[in-house]
């Protein structure tokens, strides 16, 4: 039984939804040693999310962002928490709707995803900071 | 410590939200060997979700679907991704809102759910294909 | 490798979103023995949720609740499931949108959260009952 934990600095992302499956697979060295198990991906922030969605057509990323930006519009006057600008509280709301963590099965050293599944990092801030993830991999050799 | 991983073909479902707790418990043979641990349920698709909700009254499944179909209507003209029809992009949005995976505690060979909790498979497509799940069970005998 | 499972009665909460990080850390005795691993937090109910969000400014909790209460209003006439009053079905919807479980990395006997991350218990009912959680901690000493 292996338990490996690794914290990764992913750098800054533009506001938007980004496919990061390959970046994560390349950086999580602990994956390679696992025959079967799980990988837990956890973003240490409250204004960026992780979600799984379609990995082929970039318009899915675009349309998903468009939907959420319309559902949770910037500058909504109802909020009292707006110290950091019109995208502050909406970023918190979107983080809770999409979630800050994902668990993915691991098989033979790789994420065991569906053919069309990719991991998105969703940056909800106009000027988000460096984004940090902790990946915990558990399984058998 | 046991790690068991199993991929299950659940077949096709009608568009709608279906209670699948019993189907999963019956099919995940690895559950039986676990005294305490977790089960990670992962659907390999981007237009169907897993969620936990009320297991007794079918009207909860109906009303939850009704809410999400109104929140994310078919045929929304704002989307650019519509190759597979008016239910294509809405299915992707609903998948991210509800999520493609669940982790559930396991105790004495069974899912340790609340009295009123059941596992829903939410089929967001009008004509969804066969749905495949990978279940990873980890724990002690 | 350690697997510990503990069910905790958290008592009753007022309708609203409550920061429970410290209550959980204090009560989950199994955490202390783990050098690295994960903690899976699972609420046994269908009208209360767990989510991660900002831990400093109480107005984030307030605004997040305000957003969800407006998105999923009480007394919506479209629902057929309303036996327990106008907050019944909306509580189920909000539970699925936010989710009933969280997985958090564990390091050196503590939740490994971001600086601004806290665990919220979201009580969606006007008169919710005692809320019960099962925490499963897995990792190495």
């Amino acid at each position: 039984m292996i338990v490996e934990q690794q914290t990764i600095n992913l750098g800054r992302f533009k506001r938007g939804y980004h496919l990061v499956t390959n970046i994560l697979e390349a950086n999580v060295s602990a994956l390679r040693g696992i025959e079967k198990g799980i990988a837990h991906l956890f973003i240490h922030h409250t204004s960026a999310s992780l979600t799984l969605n379609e990995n082929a057509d970039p318009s899915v990323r675009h349309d998903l962002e468009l939907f959420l930006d319309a559902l949770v519009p910037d500058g909504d006057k109802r909020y009292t928490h707006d110290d950091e600008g019109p995208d502050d509280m909406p970023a918190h709301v979107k983080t809770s709707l999409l979630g800050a963590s994902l668990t993915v099965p691991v098989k033979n050293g790789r994420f065991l995803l569906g053919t069309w599944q990719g991991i998105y990092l969703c940056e909800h801030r106009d000027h988000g900071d460096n984004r940090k993830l902790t990946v915990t991999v558990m399984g058998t050799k």
Side-chain angles (χ1 to χ4, degrees), chain A:
Chain A
M1 183 72 198
I2 295 168
V3 181
E4 293 290 348
Q5 199 167 65
Q6 193 175 337
T7 297
I8 303 169
N9 282 303
L10 289 175
R12 288 167 187 260
F13 289 81
K14 277 198 311 185
R15 180 168 171 163
Y17 296 13
H18 308 273
L19 194 61
V20 294
T21 319
N22 292 344
I23 298 174
L24 292 176
E25 276 209 338
N27 278 279
V28 182
S29 52
L31 269 186
R32 256 75 75 194
I34 304 287
E35 191 216 325
K36 57 182 176 184
I38 57 171
H40 174 247
L41 315 173
F42 184 86
I43 194 163
H44 289 257
H45 306 279
T46 60
S47 51
S49 307
L50 297 174
T51 193
L52 288 161
N53 222 307
E54 216 258 26
N55 61 15
D57 181 355
S59 67
V60 175
R61 268 126 46 211
H62 172 269
D63 288 352
L64 183 60
E65 184 186 7
L66 179 149
F67 175 86
L68 278 149
D69 282 354
L71 184 69
V72 194
D74 283 5
D76 190 321
K77 298 293 184 208
R78 295 174 300 172
Y79 300 137
T80 57
H81 178 88
D82 57 6
D83 294 356
E84 296 186 21
D87 62 331
D88 181 356
M89 190 60 217
H92 292 307
V93 172
K94 287 179 269 187
T95 298
S96 277
L97 290 177
L98 295 180
S101 107
L102 286 178
T103 305
V104 169
V106 174
K107 190 170 181 179
N108 298 331
R110 304 201 57 186
F111 298 134
L112 181 60
L113 299 174
T115 312
W116 304 105
Q117 279 180 314
I119 300 168
Y120 291 12
L121 184 144
C122 309
E123 174 58 72
H124 302 305
R125 298 299 310 268
D126 285 332
H127 304 284
D129 214 333
N130 176 40
R131 297 307 186 183
K132 205 169 75 170
L133 248 88
T134 290
V135 184
T136 308
V137 176
M138 305 178 77
T140 50
K141 291 196 223 195

